[in-house]
Amino acid sequence: MDSVGVKLLLIRSSPFAMSCALALRQKGVKFEEVPENLSARSDLLLRSNPVYKQVPVLIHNGKAVSQSLVILEYIEEAWPPSNNTPSLLPGSAYDRSLSRFWADFINKKFIETGLKLMKRFGEEHATARKEIVEQFITLEEGMRAIGSVRPYFLGQKTSLADLALVPLVPWFTSFEALGDLKFPGPEQCGRMHEWLNAMREDPDVVASVPTADWLLNYTLNFREYIKKHYPGGL
């Protein structure tokens, strides 16, 4: 696979970077992970993403692409499906629209709500605790409504929706600890737990996300740091 000059700027805990790393691995693209420190952003990051100054950023042949969902679409187009390269989107136009819809919901609602459990306090934290459980159930209902062959979001192959949701694999434990909550179990949300189990067994996922224990330690420490230095939250 031609992957000349492919770099992914990231921080290990970033859910959005995890999605992009998994997409590259699923496409068979060899790439260099470039760790960033958002408290001391590198010149490379500032040049590559001058608008948001955030990770992830994909650099391909010297050209930078930012924002995770945009990066995922770029990866699909830059390394198009072939006999040896899987597609990140389903075959039909309708299923592609479903994949994009749920990826957008996951990024803008579910993951962002989960991050509030780490970054916010008081009423905002309490609201996020309630909302993330409701959104977990919404994802369950979305999978059921699609009625696809299991175990992935839209069937037997991963798509943009799975890539967007993959951060839940390590973040599941952290969300529960940060919010002092329990997600519904398999008896209520069987599809979500079947999805989680399938993703946990995928070697590309294992290579693309940190362990749950490492992430839990990181998130609890980071929350304490925020509480000390930013009492109003981030």
Side-chain angles (χ1 to χ4, degrees):
M1 176 70 64
D2 180 13
S3 54
V4 175
V6 181
K7 298 180 180 181
L8 183 64
L9 279 56
L10 50 74
I11 60 173
R12 194 179 180 196
S13 60
S14 167
F16 308 110
M18 295 176 201
S19 298
C20 299
L22 176 59
L24 289 167
R25 287 191 171 93
Q26 293 222 321
K27 285 287 191 177
V29 178
K30 294 181 180 180
F31 64 100
E32 177 187 355
E33 292 188 1
V34 182
E36 285 288 339
N37 182 349
L38 296 186
S39 62
R41 291 169 171 83
S42 71
D43 289 340
L44 178 60
L45 174 58
L46 296 176
R47 291 196 310 271
S48 302
N49 189 4
V51 176
Y52 290 104
K53 303 178 178 66
Q54 298 287 344
V55 296
V57 176
L58 178 70
I59 300 177
H60 181 207
N61 292 331
K63 296 181 179 179
V65 185
S66 60
Q67 298 296 93
S68 62
L69 293 183
V70 177
I71 293 171
L72 295 180
E73 294 272 7
Y74 177 88
I75 291 170
E76 174 71 354
E77 295 185 14
W79 294 278
S82 67
N83 290 337
N84 299 317
T85 308
S87 175
L88 303 181
L89 287 166
S92 75
Y94 180 68
D95 285 348
R96 290 196 296 274
S97 73
L98 285 177
S99 183
R100 290 183 172 108
F101 172 87
W102 284 110
D104 186 72
F105 172 85
I106 290 160
N107 264 25
K108 294 180 180 177
K109 293 289 187 179
F110 185 70
I111 298 297
E112 286 293 344
T113 299
L115 292 176
K116 289 178 183 178
L117 296 174
M118 181 174 62
K119 297 179 178 180
R120 306 292 170 82
F121 305 102
E123 184 177 344
E124 284 187 286
H125 186 267
T127 300
R129 290 179 70 245
K130 178 184 177 185
E131 288 182 346
I132 197 166
V133 173
E134 292 174 346
Q135 291 165 3
F136 188 90
I137 295 171
T138 296
L139 291 168
E140 168 76 15
E141 292 171 346
M143 287 190 192
R144 289 185 184 180
I146 290 169
S148 56
V149 178
R150 300 170 174 178
Y152 300 113
F153 210 104
L154 274 79
Q156 293 181 305
K157 297 180 180 179
T158 56
S159 69
L160 290 187
D162 301 285
L163 297 171
L165 190 55
V166 77
L168 182 59
V169 172
W171 274 93
F172 185 94
T173 302
S174 291
F175 286 160
E176 288 194 328
L178 293 165
D180 190 22
L181 59 87
K182 282 289 182 185
F183 285 115
E187 67 286 348
Q188 182 179 355
C189 292
R191 284 290 284 114
M192 279 295 290
H193 284 275
E194 184 179 32
W195 179 90
L196 278 164
N197 290 335
M199 297 303 275
R200 285 167 178 151
E201 295 174 359
D202 187 316
D204 286 336
V205 172
V206 173
S208 302
V209 306
T211 66
D213 288 344
W214 180 91
L215 188 62
L216 176 61
N217 183 64
Y218 171 87
T219 55
L220 292 177
N221 287 336
F222 191 58
R223 180 165 174 78
E224 288 303 311
Y225 174 85
I226 295 171
K227 189 181 296 184
K228 179 179 179 180
H229 296 279
Y230 305 92
L234 287 177

